């Protein structure tokens, strides 16, 4: 098959409003995911904690992802993908508010990381399933674009944290 014939046979990807919203939600999680990790070291230094204590933040983050993975299927069946993704976005925001306002109170920081990670997992489960169903044979392209945008947003996250720290504004 020639290159032009293969290109002509490629399924058309219709980037409608719901696709762009899904892309934005997945990118939002990508930004959060990659910006979160550098803040753990900053929180550790601010509070004079050991690396072992600070690693609990990452452990609760992982527990949030596991919990999200175990519960997302039931929640999708009960509420649908769209509501699950909206809940996921709200949980990331709520978790970030708790995490950034937590100061040096370890249980509050742990709760913030857990809640935000739970929300991010809901976005990934709902978003990937939605794009697959919504775009059918063009779904590999939609998924690639969504995760490419998430990667780009993820690259910006640590740069934004570092830039804010460099100009003296702090990571929060």
């Amino acid at each position: 098959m020639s290159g032009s014939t293969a290109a002509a046979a490629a399924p058309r990807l219709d980037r409608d409003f719901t696709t762009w919203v899904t892309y934005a939600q997945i990118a939002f999680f990508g930004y959060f995911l990659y910006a979160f990790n550098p803040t753990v070291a900053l929180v550790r230094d601010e509070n004079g904690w050991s690396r072992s204590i600070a690693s609990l933040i990452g452990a609760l983050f992982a527990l949030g992802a596991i919990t999200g993975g175990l519960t997302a299927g039931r929640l999708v069946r009960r509420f649908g993908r769209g509501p699950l993704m909206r809940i996921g976005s709200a949980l990331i925001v709520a978790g970030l508010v708790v995490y950034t306002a937590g100061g040096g109170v370890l249980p509050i920081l742990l709760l913030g990381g857990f809640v935000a990670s739970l929300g991010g997992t809901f976005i990934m489960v709902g978003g990937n399933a939605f794009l697959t169903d919504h775009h059918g044979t063009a779904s590999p392209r939609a998924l690639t674009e969504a995760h490419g945008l998430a990667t780009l947003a993820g690259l910006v996250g640590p740069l934004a944290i570092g830039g804010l720290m460099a100009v003296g504004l702090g990571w929060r």
Side-chain angles (χ1 to χ4, degrees), residues 48-140:
W49 293 338
S50 69
R51 291 175 194 242
S52 297
I53 294 297
S55 71
L56 292 173
I57 297 170
L60 264 286
F61 184 90
L63 185 60
I66 292 167
T67 303
L70 292 173
T71 59
R74 279 178 270 151
L75 293 172
V76 164
R77 284 189 297 280
R78 182 169 181 163
F79 300 111
R81 290 184 186 122
L84 180 71
M85 292 179 63
R86 287 188 289 281
I87 291 167
S89 293
L91 287 173
I92 289 178
V93 171
L96 287 174
V97 167
V98 169
Y99 182 75
T100 57
V105 183
L106 184 61
I108 292 174
L109 294 167
L110 296 175
L111 177 65
F114 175 86
V115 168
S117 178
L118 177 70
T121 302
F122 288 168
I123 287 172
M124 294 309 298
V125 169
N128 288 338
F130 168 76
L131 290 172
T132 299
D133 285 350
H134 189 63
H135 292 290
T137 57
S139 64

